[in-house]
Amino acid sequence: MFLARIRVSLKPTVNDPQGKTIAQALGRLGFDTIDSLRAGKYFEVRIDEYDRAAAEKKVQAMCTQLLANPVIERFDFDLDPVS
Amino acid sequence: MFLARIRVSLKPTVNDPQGKTIAQALGRLGFDTIDSLRAGKYFEVRIDEYDRAAAEKKVQAMCTQLLANPVIERFDFDLDPVS
């Protein structure tokens, strides 16, 4: 069994109004040293595979087919064996 | 300058209908080895601090005050120096 921790975020060239709004809200709370903030999605997926290469291929496919929009988003993930 | 990569996810005891729906959608796409999927949020924050301890304290405060709801969510983050 593997645990994939997947991070999906907008590509650097894509405008991120959600991130901008959150950064402004933090500014109003007194956090005045924020240079930039980008908002994204995070998924923890437990996969019932026993071969790392197979699990990695599955996660890669999940990301491009559903979890991320490859046109405007990028993704990366860590894969760790779990019991 | 530090880059904080913040992951916010629902506590394990909290029901995650979004994660369940995504897992079902992946199942319909043919991914039949998914054991569980939890959905969360991901933030990349660049902080204009030059002291690691100060940056860490700021990120911790941001998470508890705005980015995460400590009642139902947990968070963790990595902090790396960037130029």
Side-chain angles (χ1 to χ4, degrees), chain A:
Chain A
M1 181 99 76
F2 283 92
L3 173 64
R5 293 188 184 84
I6 305 167
R7 294 164 292 275
V8 178
S9 53
L10 289 166
K11 286 183 181 170
T13 49
V14 177
N15 201 16
D16 179 11
Q18 188 191 1
K20 285 213 175 83
T21 305
I22 295 169
Q24 284 167 12
L26 286 169
R28 281 193 298 274
L29 286 172
F31 296 99
D32 49 7
T33 52
I34 293 174
D35 181 66
S36 72
L37 187 150
R38 307 280 290 173
K41 293 172 284 184
Y42 175 62
F43 304 99
E44 284 185 352
V45 190
R46 276 171 185 272
I47 306 164
D48 211 359
E49 298 274 354
Y50 292 88
D51 173 48
R52 171 176 287 271
E56 206 165 311
K57 213 172 144 187
K58 283 267 166 82
V59 175
Q60 190 86 26
M62 279 177 210
C63 289
T64 51
Q65 287 179 40
L66 188 80
L67 301 180
N69 174 353
V71 178
I72 55 165
E73 291 172 328
R74 57 179 180 179
F75 62 86
D76 66 338
F77 59 87
D78 306 320
L79 203 59
D80 294 303
V82 286
S83 54

Side-chain angles (χ1 to χ4, degrees), chain B:
Chain B
M1 183 96 79
F2 283 91
L3 173 63
R5 293 189 185 84
I6 305 167
R7 294 164 292 276
V8 178
S9 52
L10 289 166
K11 287 183 181 171
T13 48
V14 178
N15 201 13
D16 178 12
Q18 188 192 1
K20 284 213 176 86
T21 305
I22 295 169
Q24 283 167 12
L26 285 169
R28 281 193 296 272
L29 285 172
F31 296 98
D32 49 6
T33 52
I34 294 174
D35 181 66
S36 72
L37 187 150
R38 306 280 290 172
K41 293 173 285 185
Y42 174 63
F43 304 100
E44 284 185 352
V45 191
R46 278 172 182 271
I47 307 165
D48 212 358
E49 298 274 355
Y50 293 89
D51 173 49
R52 172 177 284 273
E56 206 165 313
K57 214 173 143 186
K58 283 268 166 81
V59 175
Q60 191 87 26
M62 278 176 209
C63 289
T64 49
Q65 287 179 41
L66 188 79
L67 301 181
N69 174 354
V71 178
I72 55 165
E73 291 172 328
R74 58 178 181 179
F75 62 87
D76 68 338
F77 59 87
D78 305 321
L79 202 60
D80 294 303
V82 286
S83 55

